Amino acid sequence: MSADPAAPDYGSGTLAELLPAIAHRLGAPDAPPGALDVPPARAYVLVLVDGLGWNQLLANVPALGRIPRLLADARPLSAPVPATTACSLTTLGTGRPPGVHGIVGYSFRPSRAGDLLRPLDWGPLDPDPELLQPVPTWFERLERAGVAVTTVSRSQFRRSGLTRAALRGGSFRGFGRDAPMAARLETILASVAAGPALAYVYESELDHTGHGRGVGSGQWLDRLVRVDAGLEVLRRALPADVCLLVTGDHGMIDVPARHRVVIEDAPGLAEGLELIGGEGRLRYLYTREPRAVAARWARVMGERAWVRTREEAVEAGWFGPELAPGVAERLGDVLVAARGDWAVMTRTREREFALVGQHGSLEPDEMLVPLLVDEGRDR
């Protein structure tokens, strides 16, 4: 087997440490100083740009206006494994690795007897979000500490299962899918107008463009330029005692059509599988024959993927130093993490074949996200 990729440094430089660091600055009594430091401020605006990777950002600096001026105080953070939105948002919201919060991918089996759950399409009832993910969020903890917490996101996410699992707590202010930053500005400013406060702002369109067109496309760069311009509008409007933080949930890799391994078309890969979860860059294979399936997949995939049994991936620290009860069975019995610009596709998910940009595995281009900091001193 090929050597393991580097697991995220949970507890030091990942998305899990960001909200606890903010909470410490805002005086939350259960938020001791952590490994990640943020500047002191009366209030914070945290903008999460879905699909904003550190490496993609650095590659496009010449086209941008404001963001390059923030890079002097910037640093990369690591997304969790898998490097995908549902897992990253829950890691951010709870401050815990996936092995503890249990939202372990784009699609996974919540229990041995169940079908796949796709958290991005999760309805509010089945399974119950608060039961499947019982770890308190930092929004809830900050609210109990007297901090005004506001989520500014697309209206359709107000009561979604993922919002309830990952980002519950505080108040919610909705906007239309493609509302520019200027249209959200009044809401954001009101959210941090007084007292200790946190506004969490979610921006989704960069990710959609990356999936549909690729992160190497002119359309993706145009969208990034719009994000850059929106951040400039926001930072100019914020009071000097409000710190602006910008991060992402994952990067992205463009997968060429010739680098798609289709499970149903490759001899032997579908053998012994009960269910196929995850996504193209990190597949969860549910099977009663994990060792035989892992050995067969390792032979077929070669250097195109890291193939691990669940026990091997857990031992390597992919999901953190510990697993909460019931989380292990949500992971695939065999995990296939694509290397380079490869992906593993399945005809049971035909919509995935339309994706150019993909993510979920452990390559730096998808794992590393930025933490940009504007302290407000030069506004």
Side-chain angles (χ1 to χ4, degrees), residues 79-338:
V81 178
T84 198
T85 298
C87 186
S88 288
L89 293 188
T90 314
T91 299
L92 173 75
T94 62
R96 304 302 298 274
V100 175
H101 63 64
I103 305 302
V104 295
Y106 172 78
S107 65
F108 60 92
R109 189 164 64 181
S111 66
R112 271 292 175 188
D115 201 351
L116 291 176
L117 170 69
R118 287 183 290 279
L120 297 184
D121 305 321
W122 195 351
L125 297 177
D126 188 21
D128 185 281
E130 286 86 353
L131 292 179
L132 193 69
Q133 197 303 96
V135 178
T137 73
W138 276 101
F139 291 176
E140 293 176 304
R141 296 164 79 170
L142 282 166
E143 193 175 27
R144 288 197 297 268
V147 176
V149 178
T150 306
T151 292
V152 183
S153 187
R154 286 166 54 181
S155 297
Q156 71 185 81
F157 301 144
R158 182 184 302 272
R159 292 292 297 167
S160 74
L162 182 58
T163 296
R164 289 174 56 190
L167 301 167
R168 59 182 178 260
S171 60
F172 190 101
R173 299 290 182 267
F175 60 86
R177 171 171 176 167
D178 203 17
M181 186 64 73
R184 294 173 261 169
L185 194 57
E186 184 177 347
T187 297
I188 296 170
L189 293 177
S191 300
V192 295
L198 168 66
Y200 166 76
V201 182
Y202 176 69
E203 169 61 53
S204 65
E205 292 305 304
L206 187 69
D207 180 71
H208 290 297
T209 305
H211 281 309
R213 301 290 186 171
V215 293
S217 69
Q219 294 93 332
W220 188 87
L221 180 56
D222 288 345
R223 179 63 68 174
L224 180 61
V225 169
R226 289 176 61 181
V227 169
D228 180 71
L231 292 175
E232 179 66 1
V233 169
L234 176 58
R235 67 161 296 275
R236 286 182 176 273
L238 288 175
D241 60 353
V242 177
C243 179
L244 172 63
L245 302 170
V246 182
T247 191
D249 56 344
H250 56 75
M252 199 171 286
I253 290 173
D254 289 349
V255 176
R258 68 184 184 278
H259 281 186
R260 297 177 178 183
V261 177
V262 181
I263 295 175
E264 294 79 5
D265 296 348
L269 290 191
E271 183 180 343
L273 302 186
E274 297 178 350
L275 205 58
I276 301 169
E279 57 194 301
R281 293 281 302 163
L282 197 150
R283 284 291 175 201
Y284 287 160
L285 307 179
Y286 298 93
T287 175
R288 297 180 187 275
E289 308 166 359
R291 293 193 179 278
V293 167
R296 184 161 53 248
W297 274 74
R299 287 194 301 269
V300 173
M301 295 302 297
E303 293 300 307
R304 296 177 293 182
W306 294 287
V307 180
R308 300 290 183 266
T309 64
R310 177 174 60 208
E311 291 75 15
E312 289 170 339
V314 169
E315 179 66 24
W318 287 13
F319 305 100
E322 59 179 325
L323 265 63
V327 171
E329 66 183 19
R330 301 179 191 179
L331 306 171
D333 299 289
V334 176
L335 291 81
V336 183

Side-chain angles (χ1 to χ4, degrees), residues 9-36:
D9 189 12
Y10 297 111
S12 178
T14 77
L15 284 171
E17 287 75 61
L18 183 49
L19 280 178
I22 294 172
H24 173 69
R25 288 297 193 186
L26 290 173
D30 56 349
L36 182 62

